[in-house]
Amino acid sequence: MKYIIILILIIGYLPSSAQIQFYSFQEVLDYADSHALAIQSATLSEQITKAEKQEAAANLLPTIGGTLGYNDNITLQPTLVPAQIFNPAAPEGSFEELTFGTKFQYSRGVQVQWDILNFQKFFAYQASKISIDESKAHTEVNRLNTYNQLASTYYSILLTQESIEIYQENLLIGDSILVHAQRKFQDGILSEAEVNRAEIKQRQNQRNLNQAKNNLDQFLVQLQSQLNTEQIISVSDSPESFSLQTTSILAPHPEVIKQEFAVAKYESLLKQAKAMRLPSVSLVYQNNTIWATENFMDFDNSNRLPQQVFGIQINLSEFLGLTTRPKVRQSKWNVQLQHLQLENTKLVKDQEDKLLQLQWEQASDQLRENKRILDLQEQNDLHAENNYQGGLTSLDNRLDTYDDLLVAQDSYLQSLAACTLAQYKIYARQSMGNRELEK
């Protein structure tokens, strides 16, 4: 009995552990921040950019290298030396064969070089710092694009759930009309054509309901894909539960911020190109030691030959500037191009924000009007149903009133969709602004 209870608990736990329940759009955004592929990929790109900055910073520090060497001079090459050096009486033009060196040589060395003045490396480091900010801005662009995609899918889910409730109510109304019509047909009051019209309307209601349920399943799968998860998703929310406190969008668009950093980076690259004409100054220090011996590993009887070198080097790689001048011109043109793109991005994104606000205002007005029309049409449909059940109106009149109700429902759902989507997109845009203010 104990094992059966444990098994039941495990079985009951598995479905809940493999399901994600969302109660608001903000919960979806929070989940996307840590799971959506586009956001995660951009975040990893940030880490790569940070590593590149660390590499550029390391290039500004002194470089220290070390060497260890071992040579076994198996055969020492003889050298011809004039014999008169050792014997003044030797004939002129005669030579003696001598061998210089030792069989074994051991060496170690330390080399230090520090570019105390290298403008190219300095501006490369400045560009790498700007690249980090540009990468962060790129992440925010991906985040906003992901948020907009999620808003579209999320509102589709809410709207479809709303339409399913309406279609289910329509089924009840249509079933009542059809049952009453079939009863009158059996009594010989209605024709078969009139009953068929009622049945057609009921089958259309069932078709709409089935299509809405199928659409809901597809939207939920689409949301799974966007959130990069295989877990089952359910949404317990409604469009009416969410409202904006304000539609104002104060923070600059992430695309604008990204382009501003692109301008700054290309300006730094221009400075780097100009720096190619400037000299670089380096400090160099070397400390080398050689141990020479005739016997393997005989350091006690070896000759120690130390060497230390300190120097200052001035390098001028582009004295005439034949390759520098074209690179500088290219960099200047790239800077001008980035400035043009920045101005265009500011204009386009500002207009997009204004258009989004206008769309929300128009959709809100249409939604209020269509909701009022729907309420009135529902009252008319209720009166028509009562008159039809009481035998005061014909089936054709009843179905005409019912058709008017369906048209009003369709207009209401369309305006609800437009208003909800615009509202969620404004909310996503404001979320990006709040993130910038937090930084």
Side-chain angles (χ1 to χ4, degrees), residues 312-370:
I312 299 177
Q313 296 179 354
I314 299 178
N315 299 315
L316 187 61
S317 58
E318 280 290 324
F319 184 75
L320 297 178
L322 297 178
T323 60
T324 302
R325 283 193 291 268
K327 291 183 178 179
V328 171
R329 287 197 297 267
Q330 293 175 20
S331 297
K332 287 182 178 179
W333 293 332
N334 282 329
V335 170
Q336 294 177 6
L337 178 60
Q338 295 302 319
H339 274 288
L340 290 175
Q341 291 181 351
L342 175 59
E343 295 304 318
N344 178 259
T345 302
K346 287 181 178 179
L347 176 63
V348 171
K349 297 307 174 182
D350 183 62
Q351 297 302 319
E352 285 182 0
D353 288 341
K354 292 180 180 178
L355 180 61
L356 187 58
Q357 292 172 321
L358 291 174
Q359 289 174 345
W360 181 84
E361 292 174 359
Q362 181 181 8
S364 298
D365 293 338
Q366 290 181 350
L367 179 60
R368 284 191 294 269
E369 186 64 25
N370 288 333

Side-chain angles (χ1 to χ4, degrees), residues 148 151-153 155 356 360 416-426:
N148 285 333
S152 179
T153 305
Y155 102 86
L356 187 58
W360 181 84
L416 178 63
C419 181
T420 305
L421 179 58
Q423 184 173 242
Y424 282 136
K425 283 189 174 182
I426 292 177

